[in-house]
Amino acid sequence: MPLKRLTKYYTMDCFSKCYVKKGVPAIFVKLLVYWYKHLTSAVIWNFALGECFKVLCGVRQGRGVLSPYLFAFYVNDIIEDVRKLGFGIYIGSVFLGCILYADDILLLSGSCTGLQQMVNVCVQYGRQWGIHFNAIKSQYITFGGNRSMLSRIMSDNVEMNRVGKLKYLGCHFYERSCQLKSDRVFVSFMAILIMSCQ
C-alpha cells in the first residue's frame, strides 16, 4: 500500500507525539521539529548552485541521511500491530506478513479475510498518527482458490485495485500461478533471507 505523500499529510504534532510516546527525549524531538520547520534546500545543476528556498512539506531525500531512519521509526509499530493479528505469513519464526520499503508497505496473508484485517489495522494506525494510505494506487493479488476471485479488499471504504501481475522490488508475481520472475539481486536477497530464517 503506497503512502499518499506521507509527509504532506502528517503534521509535526503527530510526529512529535509519536516520538515522545516511544520514549525519545522531548529535547531531541523539539530539535527535529525545529529542523524540519526551518528546512531549506537548493538545486545543483551543471555544477551551479541555485538560490535557497524553504521546504514547506516533505523530508530530505537523496543525501538526507536521517530521513529514512525517522520514517522507519515513525511507522515501525505498524509491523507489530499487523503481526499481533495472526494473519500474516511466517518463514520459521520470522514474521514476513508486513514488509516496509521506502514509502511502500507489502502485506502478505494466507487469506483474503486476513489481508482485509491487516489493511484495516494499517488504516487505523494511519488515522492515529496522521498517515493517509493511497487506496487508488494500492494493488492486491491473490493466488489459488475460486473464492479468492470474488474477494474485494477495501482501504478506508475505497476498493483497492485487483491485478493479475504485481511487481514489488523487481519481483513479478502472477495471479493463479506459481510462476515468479525476478531480478538476480532480489533472488539472492530472498535466498539469504530464507537461509537466515532456518
Side-chain angles (χ1 to χ4, degrees), residues 21-173:
K21 180 186 175 220
K22 292 181 178 190
V24 176
I27 190 72
F28 183 68
V29 173
K30 287 179 183 179
L31 177 65
L32 288 173
V33 169
Y34 178 83
W35 280 348
Y36 279 96
K37 282 187 174 179
H38 296 87
L39 187 63
T40 59
S41 194
V43 176
I44 298 175
W45 187 67
N46 265 352
F47 303 104
L49 182 64
E51 291 185 34
C52 288
F53 57 90
K54 278 189 95 167
V55 177
L56 301 176
C57 68
V59 294
R60 295 188 70 160
Q61 296 180 356
R63 294 186 183 190
V65 176
L66 191 56
S67 298
Y69 295 104
L70 293 175
F71 174 77
F73 194 73
Y74 188 64
V75 298
N76 192 50
D77 288 343
I78 280 183
I79 298 170
E80 187 59 24
D81 291 351
V82 168
R83 187 190 64 76
K84 287 178 186 175
L85 284 174
F87 288 110
I89 303 293
Y90 284 83
I91 294 180
S93 62
V94 178
F95 177 68
L96 294 174
C98 183
I99 300 171
L100 281 80
Y101 182 79
D103 63 349
D104 285 332
I105 298 176
L106 177 67
L107 300 174
L108 301 169
S109 176
S111 70
C112 293
T113 302
L115 181 60
Q116 182 63 67
Q117 293 299 316
M118 294 165 82
V119 169
N120 293 346
V121 164
C122 291
V123 169
Q124 181 180 358
Y125 184 89
R127 283 188 188 129
Q128 180 182 1
W129 296 113
I131 301 170
H132 181 80
F133 293 94
N134 192 340
I136 295 168
K137 290 176 74 177
S138 298
Q139 300 176 332
Y140 74 99
I141 189 170
T142 61
F143 305 96
N146 290 331
R147 288 181 57 195
S148 67
M149 297 300 287
L150 304 174
S151 70
R152 293 178 352 155
I153 305 296
M154 307 291 284
S155 175
D156 211 12
N157 296 319
V158 177
E159 186 173 353
M160 293 171 54
N161 298 319
R162 180 191 196 99
V163 294
K165 176 182 160 185
L166 182 72
K167 182 178 179 183
Y168 187 74
L169 296 180
C171 192
H172 299 267
F173 300 91

